[in-house]
Amino acid sequence: MIELLRRAAEADPARLAVLTHDEAVTYAELVARAEATGAHLRELGATRVATFDGDAARIIALLAAASSLGVEVCQYPPAEPGAVADLAARMEHEVLLSGDREVRASAPEGLRVVDHTGWTSSTTEREAALPEPPTARPHLVLTTGTTGAPRGVRHDWSRLVRSVRRVQVVGDEQRWLLAYGLHQFAGLQILLHTMASGATLVAPIPRAPREGLRALRELGVTHASATPTYWRFLLAEAANDGGVLPSLRQITLGGEAIPGPLLGHLTRAFPDANISQVYAASEFGSSGSVKDGRAGLSTEVLERGEDADIAMRIVDGELWVRSRVGMLGYHGEPPVEDPDGWRATGDLVEVVGDRIQFRGRSSEVINVGGVKVHPLPVEERISAVEGVALARVWGRPNALTGAIVAVDVVLAPGADKDRVRADITEACADLVAASRPRSVRFVDDLPTKGAKILRATPQQEGSR
């Protein structure tokens, strides 16, 4: 990690590494902060630490220092103090780096909380060049927790950095919007790509669509990567305030299945942007991308040779991946026998022509009286209904059929609830009976990929 920062700093010491509305940090400054942080980590003496922090520049300095010292760092997601304590217990962390007063005040016995917010401004006497990195350079990433409690995915920096080894420092100025948290694997991938290319990471706080839209307008963002849900809400925010959308050069989507209509909305909103779709996961890294504006992956990803870092195949309707940049195992579990071997992803797919179309997660299939219903195709239909900002299809227990298809809907600004309900019924009318939603509920927000996504307008009381 530190080598990426140093390479960019050597190319241009004044090159901006991190930009927010409050701070601009160059690569040279980021290297100095990493070295200062390394001095504190050595004094701390811990080999495994957690951090609860939203400051991108401070986190990057910590990750760079830790990767050079062989210290495993795990960044916790935004959470209530009680959730932080629970994570520390489950991940067996004894040291937490945080300047949050509530977290420090509510820390349970046995958890040492250290205020690290001043580490990057150490005096010269304390600073020392970071050593050559050890053989093992562990890093722990938490899964999103959408299907249960988050799991700790064990990585090694040598494998993570391998994924960007071919990326060169760019000659022109690129500013990448950080719409993910750096605690997420997708955020880590954006960080690695940005640092490897010597680009600027634009990191608004909080990392929400409203703040992202402001960053696009005010901080010169040229490239942006986010989930489909994030993009839908950013477009809704822009439509709601009537402001002008800036020009973008690159838009990347990942983290969720991508509804076809969204690609058209983004093309119209950002006509000068190249649009890419990325398939990735915390366990095996970024596995494929397409840039042709069509939903799904090209079947060409199934034809990669033995020398490919990441290969893919389909087994009984499920996508399998072999990754040389992926995880070593889960925290608290034995290491995987073959880190470079084939693994099931849990993603159900179907080959349609020359595309691999995603049908949902194996864990999300709804059994309606013996009929297996994949939520994703139903979600895509409902999401295309005018007035729907976001939809989540799920299985509601039922005494007669075992489950029925239910949908939670967040309304778009100004949408009429009764009209939307009728249009949803019409949009699903030609589906087989088991796939038609039997319950439509309007809600103010939806949890997605481990974070609550709020509606873009003032809250409106939900109803069934």
Side-chain angles (χ1 to χ4, degrees):
M1 181 65 180
I2 189 66
E3 59 265 38
L4 300 181
L5 306 185
R6 285 175 173 155
R7 185 178 68 163
E10 290 170 0
D12 180 3
R15 187 184 290 256
L16 276 183
V18 180
L19 179 65
T20 70
H21 281 94
D22 301 317
E23 185 179 36
V25 182
T26 68
Y27 274 92
E29 291 169 337
L30 202 52
V31 169
R33 293 185 182 193
E35 292 174 346
T37 299
H40 285 278
L41 277 178
R42 284 192 290 266
E43 288 184 5
L44 191 64
T47 58
R48 297 184 68 244
V49 300
T51 180
F52 183 69
D53 190 1
D55 185 278
R58 195 159 52 229
I59 294 167
I60 296 169
L62 174 62
L63 295 180
S67 67
S68 297
L69 298 172
V71 176
E72 182 192 88
V73 170
C74 177
Q75 186 187 355
Y76 290 171
E80 297 298 324
V84 172
D86 179 63
L87 273 175
R90 286 194 291 107
M91 297 299 141
E92 300 177 287
H93 284 130
E94 297 179 354
V95 178
L96 174 65
L97 308 179
S98 177
D100 189 293
R101 293 181 179 179
E102 290 187 24
V103 169
R104 296 171 64 187
S106 61
E109 185 177 352
L111 178 61
R112 179 187 175 193
V113 183
V114 178
D115 186 351
H116 68 307
T117 54
W119 280 13
T120 56
S121 57
S122 295
T123 61
T124 304
E125 290 75 15
R126 293 175 59 102
E127 297 176 9
L130 292 168
E132 287 297 317
T135 302
R137 297 188 288 165
H139 183 59
L140 192 68
V141 180
L142 298 179
T143 61
T144 55
T146 50
T147 57
R151 302 175 74 183
V153 182
R154 296 192 297 107
H155 285 276
D156 190 276
W157 282 105
S158 61
R159 294 169 67 86
L160 291 171
V161 174
R162 179 186 174 95
S163 66
V164 294
R165 70 187 187 281
R166 294 188 179 93
V167 177
Q168 299 297 316
V169 176
V170 294
D172 60 340
E173 185 180 32
Q174 294 183 5
R175 294 189 176 186
W176 279 87
L177 175 69
L178 182 62
Y180 301 96
L182 290 175
H183 64 281
Q184 297 171 288
F185 190 81
L188 195 61
Q189 290 292 103
I190 294 298
L191 169 64
L192 288 171
H193 178 85
T194 304
M195 300 295 105
S197 61
T200 301
L201 193 69
V202 178
I205 298 177
R207 313 213 197 284
R210 182 168 297 167
E211 284 70 26
L213 178 60
R214 182 186 171 205
L216 258 62
R217 288 170 170 166
E218 299 177 4
L219 297 180
V221 172
T222 61
H223 296 58
S225 178
T227 65
T229 296
Y230 186 101
W231 282 113
R232 289 184 64 131
F233 272 84
L234 186 145
L235 293 177
E237 289 280 359
N240 194 39
D241 68 22
V244 177
L245 282 170
S247 177
L248 291 178
R249 289 154 53 187
Q250 174 67 43
I251 288 174
T252 304
L253 302 94
E256 304 163 1
I258 302 166
L262 177 60
L263 298 176
H265 297 330
L266 287 171
T267 299
R268 288 188 291 273
F270 302 98
D272 298 327
N274 294 316
I275 299 178
S276 302
Q277 305 166 60
V278 175
Y279 177 69
S282 302
E283 288 83 356
F284 47 78
S286 181
S287 305
S289 65
V290 291
K291 302 178 181 180
D292 56 12
R294 298 167 57 198
L297 291 175
S298 168
T299 52
E300 292 179 355
V301 301
L302 303 175
E303 302 168 3
R304 294 171 177 166
E306 288 297 318
D307 60 339
D309 281 345
I310 298 181
M312 308 172 80
R313 67 186 183 191
I314 299 173
V315 179
D316 296 330
E318 183 177 5
L319 195 63
W320 283 58
V321 169
R322 184 194 64 207
S323 174
R324 296 189 174 99
V325 297
M327 74 172 187
L328 301 177
Y330 292 105
H331 174 72
E333 299 180 13
V336 293
E337 292 185 7
D338 182 5
D340 299 339
W342 288 96
R343 292 197 206 65
T345 65
D347 285 315
L348 301 178
V349 297
E350 179 183 358
V351 175
V352 181
D354 63 348
R355 308 297 282 192
I356 300 172
Q357 301 284 0
F358 289 85
R359 299 307 186 211
R361 299 282 295 171
S362 58
S363 59
E364 296 172 350
V365 173
I366 305 169
N367 191 326
V368 182
V371 178
K372 293 183 178 179
V373 176
H374 299 297
L376 182 57
V378 184
E379 280 185 7
E380 290 184 342
R381 288 206 177 204
I382 296 172
S383 296
V385 170
E386 186 176 354
V388 173
L390 188 65
R392 180 178 73 95
V393 171
W394 55 288
R396 173 174 290 177
N398 180 272
L400 295 178
T401 62
I404 59 172
V405 174
V407 58
D408 291 345
V409 174
V410 177
L411 287 172
D416 180 77
K417 190 185 305 180
D418 293 333
R419 177 62 182 271
V420 170
R421 186 193 301 276
D423 288 347
I424 289 173
T425 300
E426 183 178 349
C428 299
D430 64 335
L431 294 175
V432 297
S435 297
R436 297 174 202 155
R438 302 302 176 182
S439 170
V440 178
R441 181 175 63 177
F442 294 96
V443 297
D444 294 324
D445 52 62
L446 285 177
T448 177
K449 296 298 173 188
K452 180 176 285 188
I453 298 295
L454 299 177
R455 60 183 296 139
T457 55
Q459 292 192 353
Q460 176 179 341
E461 184 179 355
S463 67
R464 296 181 184 274

